[in-house]
Amino acid sequence: MEEPRTTNRGPIVATALDVKKAEAINSLLVHAIDILPSKPGDIIRPFALGLWNEIRPLLKPDMSVMSLRRATSSFLHSKQYYFACAQPDSMRHDIAGNPIEQLSDEDRLAAQKRLTALRQVQAKPTAPAAEPKSPPPPTLNKAELIRASLLGGRKLSDRVAR
């Protein structure tokens, strides 16, 4: 059984997917922000409360706020980010990546609950494949329909069998 990631395992490092998500955020900004990982193996740092108010003004003029919200949300709702927040010694960081305060117990517990929910979703067996449906009855062309009506609704196969 896998040990829960809520015990102190040290810093949680970014995967290649986490770096792609961080690059997506940075591509929307006038300059990259240091709190985000730049390569796999960099540390995932929980954001300080209210950091959005510092990131939002950095949005490039031709980019939509909704795109930035979605990109940021994708990063903040990743499993690695939740792992980082669930650690007993996790700290919140400013936009430059400097630690400023420890995560509250409530925030840490919320991250642990979210991880548990993600594990349960992953552990659910996939729905069994639906049994193949029987093939639909063959479609009759116009001549066959006329022939069937003239034969009094008897099947064509009955006529052939005689």
Side-chain angles (χ1 to χ4, degrees), residues 71-85:
T72 306
S73 178
S74 177
F75 181 78
L76 296 177
H77 295 285
S78 69
K79 189 186 299 185
Q80 292 296 92
Y81 188 84
Y82 285 128
F83 285 151
C85 291

Side-chain angles (χ1 to χ4, degrees), residues 118-133:
L118 288 173
R119 281 191 197 106
Q120 289 173 348
V121 168
Q122 290 174 343
K124 282 186 182 176
T126 57
E131 292 191 24
K133 295 181 180 178

Side-chain angles (χ1 to χ4, degrees), residues 13 18-19 21 34 38 54 70 78 98 100 107 126 147:
V13 296
D18 297 318
V19 172
K21 291 176 182 181
D34 295 329
S38 59
E54 295 179 47
R70 286 183 180 147
S78 69
N98 301 316
I100 56 170
D107 290 344
T126 57
R147 191 174 300 126

Side-chain angles (χ1 to χ4, degrees), residues 29-82:
L29 303 175
V30 292
H31 65 80
I33 54 178
D34 295 329
I35 190 171
L36 297 172
S38 59
K39 63 185 182 307
D42 283 355
I43 296 172
I44 300 279
R45 298 179 208 120
F47 284 19
L49 297 175
L51 193 63
W52 172 257
N53 296 329
E54 295 179 47
I55 296 172
R56 165 62 182 92
L58 299 176
L59 182 66
K60 290 179 182 174
D62 57 335
M63 297 294 171
S64 73
V65 174
M66 187 55 72
S67 296
L68 181 60
R69 279 199 184 277
R70 286 183 180 147
T72 306
S73 178
S74 177
F75 181 78
L76 296 177
H77 295 285
S78 69
K79 189 186 299 185
Q80 292 296 92
Y81 188 84
Y82 285 128

